[in-house]
């Protein structure tokens, strides 16, 4: 794939063109890992986070990936349980 230039907006976002998303096999709702290597930005599609990473972002990524793999009925059960827990905390 030929290189391309993109402008980063005021919120730090950059648009990934469809041909690049297709080449990386990423779609809306997928998670990617961003890393820096030798002053270059690397992007990699991930399905689950690395074991041992307990950062809030990694945990959230794991929960999203796990929920996406669940049947719809289990997703609803999980959502109900989380809502109930948040109501008890408040």
């Amino acid at each position: 794939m030929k290189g391309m230039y993109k402008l980063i907006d005021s919120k730090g976002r950059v648009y990934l063109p469809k041909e690049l998303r297709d080449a990386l096999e990423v779609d809306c709702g997928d998670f990617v890992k961003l890393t820096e290597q030798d002053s270059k930005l690397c992007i990699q599609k991930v399905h689950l986070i690395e074991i041992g990473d307990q950062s809030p972002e990694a945990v959230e990524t794991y929960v999203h990936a796990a929920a996406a793999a669940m049947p719809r009925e289990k997703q609803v059960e999980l959502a109900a349980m989380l809502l109930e827990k948040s109501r008890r905390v408040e």
Side-chain angles (χ1 to χ4, degrees), residues 33-82:
K33 179 180 181 181
L34 304 175
T35 55
E36 179 271 332
Q37 259 183 353
D38 300 323
S39 299
K40 295 178 183 174
L41 174 64
C42 300
I43 183 171
Q44 175 185 3
K45 180 178 177 177
V46 294
H47 297 285
L48 293 175
I49 59 171
E50 289 91 6
I51 294 173
D53 187 345
Q54 298 296 315
S55 68
E57 295 86 2
V59 172
E60 182 180 354
T61 300
Y62 177 79
V63 170
H64 279 277
M70 292 178 183
R72 179 86 172 132
E73 181 180 302
K74 289 291 181 187
Q75 290 175 347
V76 172
E77 288 176 22
L78 177 62
M81 182 209 50
L82 293 172

Side-chain angles (χ1 to χ4, degrees), residues 7-15 34:
L7 182 65
I8 296 177
D9 73 12
S10 63
K11 293 184 180 183
R13 297 175 299 199
V14 63
Y15 170 76
L34 304 175

